């Protein structure tokens, strides 16, 4: 290759500090999604939380790029595609558990689009977006 993944890894590492915040840190307020805000469900404990999203166009690339990012970034990486059981039906709570657990999320572009369209994810929570091939 031409080093596109290498450049993406360098960019992700440069901004990775932005993903180290806990979306549910000691929030005492309320939000429209959940009156018990901060209980690890609604994700608005820290409205400034960010995650890195690495988008690929097929399932095998999810696994491949996950391995690369685990080796080179030193943070938690989650991989998501149609291979994840029932992923198309995951509720908001399931996704927020993933956002809490991982700083980098690798997924197919269709899955990312669905997260945006359903309002589970907002662009304000994306610190780096990599579009791979």
């Amino acid at each position: 290759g031409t080093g596109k993944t290498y450049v993406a890894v360098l960019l992700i590492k440069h901004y990775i500090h932005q993903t180290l915040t806990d979306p549910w840190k000691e929030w005492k307020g309320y939000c429209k999604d959940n009156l018990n805000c901060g209980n690890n469900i609604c994700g608005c404990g820290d409205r400034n939380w960010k995650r890195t999203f690495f988008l690929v166009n097929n399932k095998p690339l999810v696994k491949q790029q996950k391995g690369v990012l685990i080796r080179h970034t030193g943070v938690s990486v989650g991989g998501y595609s149609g291979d994840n059981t029932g992923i198309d039906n995951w509720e908001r709570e399931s996704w927020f558990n993933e956002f809490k657990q991982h700083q980098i999320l690798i997924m197919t572009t269709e899955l990312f689009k669905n997260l945006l369209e359903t309002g589970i994810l907002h662009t304000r929570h994306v610190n780096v977006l990599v579009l791979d091939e």
Side-chain angles (χ1 to χ4, degrees), residues 59-60 63 80-87:
K59 296 174 193 177
K63 185 175 182 180
Y80 310 92
S81 68
D83 287 345
N84 298 87
T85 306
I87 197 165

Side-chain angles (χ1 to χ4, degrees), residues 3-16 69 72-73:
K4 294 182 299 282
T5 300
Y6 177 70
V7 171
V9 167
L10 291 177
L11 182 67
I12 289 168
K13 287 173 75 169
H14 182 75
Y15 289 103
I16 204 68
L69 291 171
H72 296 290
T73 62

Side-chain angles (χ1 to χ4, degrees), residues 62-129:
V62 171
K63 185 175 182 180
Q64 176 186 327
Q65 298 297 34
K66 181 179 176 183
V68 170
L69 291 171
I70 287 172
R71 274 193 309 278
H72 296 290
T73 62
V75 297
S76 183
V77 180
Y80 310 92
S81 68
D83 287 345
N84 298 87
T85 306
I87 197 165
D88 291 330
N89 298 315
W90 281 11
E91 298 287 329
R92 185 181 202 89
E93 183 176 352
S94 298
W95 279 111
F96 277 115
N97 285 333
E98 297 300 313
F99 299 151
K100 183 174 177 64
Q101 183 177 353
H102 303 293
Q103 285 73 44
I104 301 172
L105 296 95
I106 303 171
M107 61 185 62
T108 57
T109 51
E110 187 68 23
L111 190 52
F112 183 76
K113 182 181 128 198
N114 291 344
L115 289 174
L116 292 173
E117 287 177 346
T118 58
I120 291 173
L121 179 68
H122 299 279
T123 55
R124 72 176 178 262
H125 298 302
V126 178
N127 79 321
V128 174
L129 178 63

